Amino acid sequence: DAMVIQNPRYQVTQFGKPVTLSCSQTLNHNVMYWYQQKSSQAPKLLFHYYDKDFNNEADTPDNFQSRRPNTSFCFLDIRSPGLGDAAMYLCATSSAPAGVLGGIQYFGAGTRLSVL
Amino acid sequence: AQTVTQSQPEMSVQEAETVTLSCTYDTSESDYYLFWYKQPPSRQMILVIRQEAYKQQNATENRFSVNFQKAAKSFSLKISDSQLGDAAMYFCASMYSGGGADGLTFGKGTHLIIQP
């Protein structure tokens, strides 16, 4: 029944070693989002894909990249993880344009990233 | 830019009682949505309730209702007949509705504890 699936649930990487987090969805939604949620802080949008169009938030570090090879999958690449990148990373999807269910996002369970 | 403020880091309520979680927001947009999301421990964030800013009527979903005060930019969540399963982190969020695929702006969350 899981509709937005994130793998792995827990990821440990070394300082500076590239890491990729993955997200897949069975909802056939055309928009996919990545949020970063640090401990005791609000989730913060990093970027999103609207169909194939990539939309980066202005304050997202260049260290963070994303790929969306098809509708179902989206990846978050961290090129050189630093200690400050340890966080929960949330993937979400929605259907656009808004319509009747406008704005509702469906979340995965998240990937908790640790950087050693 | 949008901001969302949740001033209660933690709330506690007795089972079967009613609790209200506070949220204020600020936005320069005239078209927006407001949401309450629930994030149980180690599980994905799920939508509790959604409010369209142009609607004056407060949204209701079973035991969950909101008090939407547009002029005051306040959006509180009332949970009636609290149940043990309501224990979670609750996030208030806003989203500009004109863009179709904008991300959510979250508050820092309120940790709700249900006392048996």
Side-chain angles (χ1 to χ4, degrees):
Chain A
D1 286 315
M3 297 179 288
V4 183
I5 303 164
Q6 291 189 243
N7 285 308
R9 291 293 309 276
Y10 301 91
Q11 176 75 56
V12 180
T13 190
Q14 292 180 337
F15 183 94
K17 184 176 181 180
V19 64
T20 295
L21 309 182
S22 72
C23 177
S24 63
Q25 55 130 339
T26 59
L27 296 164
N28 203 34
H29 283 168
N30 58 340
V31 188
M32 294 187 77
Y33 307 82
W34 281 104
Y35 292 86
Q36 179 191 61
Q37 184 181 16
K38 294 187 176 180
S39 181
S40 302
Q41 294 187 23
K44 181 180 178 300
L45 180 67
L46 294 173
F47 27 57
H48 74 275
Y49 272 96
Y50 189 148
D51 295 321
K52 295 183 179 181
D53 294 332
F54 179 68
N55 299 271
N56 199 28
E57 293 299 297
D59 56 356
T60 298
D62 293 340
N63 197 27
F64 291 86
Q65 303 286 322
S66 186
R67 296 171 283 134
R68 189 179 187 187
N70 54 53
T71 300
S72 300
F73 285 86
C74 195
F75 300 98
L76 169 61
D77 300 310
I78 309 176
R79 293 192 297 187
S80 180
L83 298 179
D85 297 328
M88 176 74 84
Y89 289 88
L90 302 173
C91 174
T93 72
S94 73
S95 179
V100 175
L101 297 177
I104 296 175
Q105 296 187 14
Y106 297 82
F107 285 82
T111 294
R112 184 168 296 283
L113 178 68
S114 298
V115 181
L116 303 180
Chain B
Q2 301 179 52
T3 60
V4 177
T5 303
Q6 293 178 249
S7 59
Q8 305 155 316
E10 186 173 282
M11 291 284 285
S12 181
V13 64
Q14 293 285 336
E15 192 176 5
E17 297 294 308
T18 295
V19 63
T20 298
L21 308 184
S22 301
C23 173
T24 59
Y25 64 93
D26 194 14
T27 179
S28 57
E29 308 291 352
S30 57
D31 299 323
Y32 54 93
Y33 300 113
L34 295 167
F35 306 86
W36 280 96
Y37 277 88
K38 169 185 176 181
Q39 187 179 38
S42 301
R43 297 183 63 184
Q44 70 259 49
M45 203 174 305
I46 58 174
L47 178 70
V48 175
I49 202 164
R50 179 182 75 121
Q51 176 81 41
E52 294 167 286
Y54 71 88
K55 289 187 176 179
Q56 293 186 342
Q57 186 174 7
N58 289 324
T60 300
E61 288 288 343
N62 301 314
R63 297 183 294 108
F64 299 88
S65 61
V66 298
N67 183 4
F68 175 44
Q69 302 289 329
K70 190 171 184 178
K73 294 184 177 177
S74 171
F75 184 62
S76 61
L77 174 70
K78 186 172 82 172
I79 306 173
S80 303
D81 186 25
S82 298
Q83 301 176 1
L84 295 177
D86 296 333
M89 200 74 175
Y90 285 81
F91 289 95
C92 179
S94 68
M95 190 187 92
Y96 169 55
S97 58
D102 286 47
L104 294 164
T105 298
F106 286 93
K108 287 189 175 183
T110 296
H111 181 212
L112 179 63
I113 299 168
I114 310 295
Q115 304 280 5

